[in-house]
Amino acid sequence: MILNQVSRLGHFLVILVLVASVLVRSPHGAEAGLWTPDVNECAFLADINAYRRSYGLRAISLSRTLSMAADNHSRYMARTDDIDHTLGSLSWSANIRQYGYPSDLAIGENVLAGRQSAGGALVLWESSYAHNQNMLNSTWRAIGIARAVNLDGTYRFYWTTTFGAGTDETISC
């Protein structure tokens, strides 16, 4: 009898740990519905769409799922005071997919740190050939934008833009 109770308790604890790890590590599409852009992210959307139009490209829509992934990445960089396309052992593409962006659509990403304003971020990315090509890719239909702040960090401001070839849940600024 005591052995059965211990066994049941062990099974319960294993299940509890598994459920908790899924809840903590795997964001769901519903979480993307909680993200809303701030004034800096809206400014970047306006700036990048004006920039794209100046090259004869269509405007891109703001995606909640791509923005939630961008927000996660920017917050990670601010927390770790590091600029990288990985979040520890998580790749940038896995980060985007875990927020529910469709796996059959092409994706891209730009990251940077040190620019406070949307215009400053755009200018820095314009001056980098690879980042500029990413922003001017005619395949993109949607964008995620996020800026995180860590005033004690080396760079203080951490930006991520994520791009997608299709639109999912779009929002307005």
Side-chain angles (χ1 to χ4, degrees), residues 51-63:
Y51 183 61
R52 287 174 59 86
R53 280 192 295 274
S54 76
Y55 281 85
L57 298 169
R58 78 177 87 217
I60 47 182
S61 301
L62 188 60
S63 161

Side-chain angles (χ1 to χ4, degrees), residues 32-101:
L34 302 175
W35 184 89
T36 56
D38 69 17
V39 65
N40 297 291
E41 293 146 351
C42 288
F44 190 88
L45 179 65
D47 289 350
I48 193 169
N49 278 331
Y51 183 61
R52 287 174 59 86
R53 280 192 295 274
S54 76
Y55 281 85
L57 298 169
R58 78 177 87 217
I60 47 182
S61 301
L62 188 60
S63 161
R64 273 196 209 275
T65 55
L66 289 173
S67 292
M68 198 69 182
D71 186 62
N72 185 49
H73 200 142
S74 288
R75 288 177 187 269
Y76 177 85
M77 291 189 302
R79 185 174 61 255
T80 60
D81 200 22
D82 185 32
I83 306 100
D84 198 345
H85 285 284
T86 60
L87 298 83
S89 61
L90 185 67
S91 71
W92 65 271
S93 57
N95 178 54
I96 291 171
R97 300 298 186 203
Q98 79 176 352
Y99 280 92
Y101 193 75

Side-chain angles (χ1 to χ4, degrees), residues 143-160:
I143 188 171
I145 306 164
R147 183 188 83 150
V149 179
N150 174 359
L151 296 179
D152 295 325
T154 304
Y155 307 100
R156 300 175 52 152
F157 303 96
Y158 304 80
W159 288 86
T160 304

Side-chain angles (χ1 to χ4, degrees), residues 20-37:
S21 69
V22 167
L23 291 175
V24 169
R25 304 184 105 224
S26 299
H28 301 285
E31 280 185 34
L34 302 175
W35 184 89
T36 56

Side-chain angles (χ1 to χ4, degrees), residues 101-117:
Y101 193 75
S103 62
D104 61 332
L105 296 173
I107 54 175
E109 179 188 74
N110 286 347
V111 296
L112 72 82
R115 298 298 172 111
Q116 181 175 358
S117 70

